[in-house]
Amino acid sequence: MDNALCRMTGAEFPLFAFSHCRDVVAAVSRAGGFGVLGCSSYGSHQLEEELAWIDAHVHGKPYGVDILFPQVQQASAGMTMDDFAAAIPAEHIDFVVRLCAEHGVTIARDEVVRDRLPPTAPDEAERLLEIALRYPIKLIANALGVAPRLMIERGKAAGVPVAALVGTREHAIKQVKAGVDIIVAQGTEAAGHCGEISTLVLVPEVIRAIRPYGDIPVMAAGGIVTGEQMAGSMAMGAQGVWTGTVWLATTEAETSPIIREKMIEARSSDTVRSKARSGKPCRQLKSDWNKAWDSPDSPGALPFPLMPLICVPALNKTFRAAEAGSQSAKDLATYESGQGVGLIEAVRSANAVVQDFKQEFADAFEQFTGMVMAE
C-alpha cells in the first residue's frame, strides 16, 4: 500500500500492532504489518534485550516503540523507588491484601508494592528513549499528553517519525503544533487509557481539525479488530489503523491463558472504563477487581503512576491462582481490553491475524468498489 504513512514508516500494510510482547511485535512486522513495542512493561535494563531480540527476528522489516512521557509526571523527576513506595498509603495496601484474600489469593503486605521504578517516571522514560534510538526503529509513539520536546527533537535528529495518541480534536491540534509527525485518533472503544468520544466520530473530526496545519497522517484506533473495520476507517480518511486488543488473544501474547479465555468469552459490553488499574480512566475487562475499587467502600484509586505499583503484583498472583483452577481468582482477574473484544472468537497466531486483516480489508474494498462502479 502506498500513502504518506507507509512512506514515512516503511510499513507495507498500515496495520500497526501495539503490544508489550516482543514475539507479537516481530511476528506482525514479518507478516507485513508494523509491530510497536509498548515499553511501559520494561525497565531500561530490560528494554535493550527486548529490542535486540526484535531486531534479530523481524528479518529487516520495520518496527517501532511506544514510550510514555506523561506530562503529570514531570514533578516526579528524580524520585527513587523508595520515594514512590512511601507515597502509597497503608490503607491501600491493606485493601489489596484483603481483596485478594477474599478471592483465595495470598499476598503479604510487603509484596503489594511493585519493586521497580515506574517506567513512566521522566528519568526512566528518557533512558528508555535513549536506548530505543540505538536501534533502527521507524516510529516512536507517546500515549499520554503532548509528546515532550525531548522526544520530538531526538526523533527528528534520528530521522524517526514521532506519533502521538489523542482522544479529542483539541489534543490533536496541540500535538501537531508541538511538531508531532503522526496522529493516532483513539476512540473510547479502545483498551487502556482512552477518552469518551467514539472512534467513528473522532477520526474525521481530528482529520478536519489538523488539516490547516499540513499533510499530517492520521491513524484510527479504538475497537478495531477486523479488516472490514480497517477499510471503513481508511474510507473516512485515516491512512492506517493502530490496534491493541486483538493481539492480546494471540498465541504469542504476554497475557495469561486465563485472560485469553475471558476475552474469548467476553462480549463488547464486558469492558469498563475505570481507574482501578492505573489511576487514570482505563478500559479493561469487567471483574471483581474494578468492581471493588470503584465501590464506595474502597479507599479510591491512587493517582497515576502509583496505582500500577500496587496492581501489578496482586494481579500477577491472581493470574497464577486462576491458572491453578481457582474460579474466585478468575473472577478477580482483569486486563486492559477494548470493546472490540466482542468480535474476537478464538485464539490465533499473530501471523494469522495479519493475514485475516489483509483478506478482510481486500474483500471490503472490493465490495465497496463494486457498489460504486455499479452506479
Side-chain angles (χ1 to χ4, degrees), residues 8-56:
M8 193 177 290
T9 62
E12 298 173 19
F13 182 65
L15 170 62
F16 287 69
F18 171 85
S19 175
H20 293 291
C21 178
R22 66 186 188 181
D23 298 87
V24 171
V25 171
V28 170
S29 289
R30 286 197 306 269
F34 191 107
V36 180
L37 183 69
C39 297
S40 65
S41 293
Y42 305 103
S44 53
H45 64 290
Q46 296 171 299
L47 184 60
E48 187 113 38
E49 178 182 342
E50 298 299 303
L51 290 178
W53 187 94
I54 290 172
D55 205 50

Side-chain angles (χ1 to χ4, degrees), residues 6 8 12 39 71 81 112 128 146 155 162 190 201 205 211 213 218 257 260 281 334 348:
C6 292
M8 193 177 290
E12 298 173 19
C39 297
Q71 291 173 302
M81 188 60 238
V112 170
L128 296 179
V146 177
V162 175
V201 172
E205 185 177 26
R211 192 171 290 148
Y213 299 93
V218 173
R260 294 180 210 170
T334 185
R348 297 172 289 167

Side-chain angles (χ1 to χ4, degrees), residues 8 18 29 42 63 85-86 114 122 229 281 304 330 337:
M8 193 177 290
F18 171 85
S29 289
Y42 305 103
Y63 64 95
R114 197 178 190 185
Q229 290 172 296
F304 183 88
K330 181 179 177 181
S337 179

Side-chain angles (χ1 to χ4, degrees), residues 321-332:
E323 289 165 17
S326 170
Q327 179 59 47
S328 184
K330 181 179 177 181
D331 293 340
L332 187 64

Side-chain angles (χ1 to χ4, degrees), residues 107-161:
I107 185 169
R109 294 188 84 259
D110 61 1
E111 295 178 309
V112 170
V113 181
R114 197 178 190 185
D115 62 356
R116 73 173 177 86
L117 195 67
T120 52
D123 297 338
E124 184 72 352
E126 287 184 25
R127 284 190 286 268
L128 296 179
L129 178 62
E130 182 179 338
I131 290 169
L133 288 172
R134 296 175 193 164
Y135 290 85
I137 57 173
K138 300 300 182 184
L139 179 78
I140 309 171
N142 186 60
L144 291 176
V146 177
R149 181 175 297 277
L150 173 73
M151 175 182 281
I152 295 173
E153 290 179 348
R154 290 192 181 179
K156 290 186 183 302
V160 179

Side-chain angles (χ1 to χ4, degrees), residues 239-315:
Q239 294 196 21
V241 294
W242 181 275
T243 56
T245 299
V246 68
W247 312 106
L248 298 175
T250 58
T251 53
E252 297 93 339
E254 78 282 5
T255 42
S256 161
I258 290 298
I259 292 300
R260 294 180 210 170
E261 183 180 328
K262 292 188 77 166
M263 291 182 70
I264 299 304
E265 295 170 353
R267 301 277 64 86
S268 57
S269 57
D270 292 327
T271 69
V272 62
R273 287 176 78 242
S274 169
K275 295 182 179 181
R277 277 188 63 84
S278 74
K280 287 177 171 288
C282 173
R283 189 171 295 284
Q284 58 206 265
L285 290 172
K286 289 180 180 178
S287 79
D288 287 353
W289 178 270
N290 43 64
K291 288 179 185 176
W293 280 102
D294 292 338
S295 76
D297 299 327
S298 88
L302 292 168
F304 183 88
L306 298 181
M307 196 63 187
L309 294 179
I310 62 174
C311 285
V312 173
L315 288 174

Side-chain angles (χ1 to χ4, degrees), residues 78-103:
M79 286 181 66
T80 66
M81 188 60 238
D82 287 341
D83 295 330
F84 281 105
I88 298 174
E91 64 175 329
H92 286 76
I93 294 176
D94 292 338
F95 189 79
V96 171
V97 172
R98 186 167 63 252
L99 177 59
C100 286
E102 290 171 356
H103 289 78

